Amino acid sequence: MIQVTDIHKKFGKNTVLSGLDLSINGGGIFAVLGPNGSGKTTLIKSILGMVIANKGTIAIKGNSVKNKWRYRKEINYLPQIANFPGNLKVKELIRMIIDLRQKPNDSENLLDLFGLRPFLNKKLSTLSGGTKQKVNIVLALMFDSPLLILDEPTTGLDPAALIQLKKILGQEKKKGKTILVTSHILRFVEEVADEIIYLLEGKIYFKGTIQELREKTQQNDFEHAIATIAGHQPNNHA
Ligand code: ADP
């Protein structure tokens, strides 16, 4: 599904990705983890074509993404920070995105699952952070796409919404979808992820199952396993 080969990305003098290779073949939930500033968002944006790598190739379903944009129709993307026009009402924003994407959508069901009906006529600028994030999630998940890229979907969610999110991701996975997700909530990651992709110093430092991570770090507890891996970085900002 995703083939990233020898990607390099610098912002000025700051080298963020330096020869990163990543291969994701089948469906499943892949958690992209790493210390703050390790390049998780840069990697995700490179896959989406929103950041252009200095070197290397990215292919989705065998097709290079360079200078193409149509492949993005096959991706549902949840950005880390969604800047909505504050004057729009929730229902207007949802309508707008449905009109833009021109695909069948599951918004009605998702509005119920996340308890958003009472907010449909509210302006986006008046919503709490958590409610905005629920709207963000509805926008990202309402279309049927083979690849889902979710950058910090758990931010600000209350426990009920978190449970719904886990349920939906499980259902999407069962349909054979590929889901790339970042999250600071390690319990969430531990519950949903089939594989961990750990970024360090511009490369993939570890890719494997949670069990393999436990074995590699000799830590049974997932949080400790992640902390052990993070400890390998000289300048650990995590
Ligand atoms: P993460 O998602 O792992 O926290 P990011 O990919 O957001 O990391 O950022 C990695 C590094 O790249 C950081 O040092 C960040 O400041 C830098 N960076 C990201 N985007 C830009 C940009 N558009 N311009 C300059 N520097 C950037």
Side-chain angles (χ1 to χ4, degrees), residues 168-208:
I168 295 167
L169 294 189
Q171 287 163 355
E172 294 298 295
K173 176 177 129 174
K174 270 198 193 138
K175 292 181 200 160
K177 304 205 173 171
T178 304
I179 302 165
L180 277 193
V181 62
T182 73
S183 175
H184 278 103
I185 302 186
L186 291 184
R187 255 199 76 188
F188 169 82
V189 171
E190 190 175 11
E191 280 179 46
V192 303
D194 296 305
E195 280 199 27
I196 304 297
I197 295 165
Y198 196 88
L199 264 69
L200 204 56
E201 293 165 358
K203 292 193 174 68
I204 306 290
Y205 182 77
F206 172 85
K207 179 174 179 291

Side-chain angles (χ1 to χ4, degrees), residues 11 14 16 35-42:
F11 291 107
N14 184 7
V16 180
N36 295 334
S38 58
K40 301 180 290 292
T41 298
T42 303

Side-chain angles (χ1 to χ4, degrees), residues 3 23 38 46 49 58 77 87 145 159 167 185 189 215 218 220:
Q3 198 76 41
S23 176
S38 58
S46 304
I58 298 177
Y77 171 51
N87 259 340
S145 300
K167 231 194 224 167
I185 302 186
V189 171
E215 283 160 18
Q218 309 256 299
N220 239 336

Side-chain angles (χ1 to χ4, degrees), residues 18-155:
S18 60
L20 183 145
D21 294 306
L22 173 65
S23 176
I24 292 180
N25 296 322
I29 302 181
F30 300 83
V32 181
L33 304 183
N36 295 334
S38 58
K40 301 180 290 292
T41 298
T42 303
L43 171 63
I44 282 174
K45 286 190 173 173
S46 304
I47 293 170
L48 289 159
M50 293 162 73
V51 161
I52 308 297
N54 303 113
K55 194 183 154 207
T57 56
I58 298 177
I60 297 197
K61 288 187 173 170
N63 299 308
S64 165
V65 302
K66 214 170 184 181
N67 299 324
K68 301 205 180 98
W69 51 270
R70 282 189 180 274
Y71 77 97
R72 289 193 213 149
K73 284 190 169 211
E74 302 291 305
I75 303 177
N76 287 357
Y77 171 51
L78 178 122
Q80 190 172 24
I81 299 163
N83 271 324
F84 300 129
N87 259 340
L88 278 188
K89 291 177 182 169
V90 172
K91 67 175 184 190
E92 291 169 340
L93 175 68
I94 292 172
R95 187 75 253 161
M96 189 177 92
I97 301 295
I98 290 172
D99 287 346
L100 277 172
R101 290 204 64 180
Q102 305 257 319
K103 281 174 113 179
N105 73 87
D106 189 29
S107 61
E108 294 296 321
N109 178 37
L110 288 165
L111 288 170
D112 286 332
L113 289 179
F114 287 102
L116 282 172
R117 293 225 177 261
F119 299 95
L120 281 176
N121 281 309
K122 295 232 162 35
K123 287 190 175 175
L124 288 151
S125 58
T126 67
L127 301 184
S128 73
T131 305
K132 265 189 206 154
Q133 182 69 341
K134 289 178 196 171
V135 174
N136 200 10
I137 289 175
V138 171
L139 296 178
L141 297 181
M142 67 184 174
F143 302 105
D144 187 18
S145 300
L147 176 57
L148 278 59
I149 300 185
L150 311 173
D151 200 350
E152 295 284 352
T154 51
T155 303

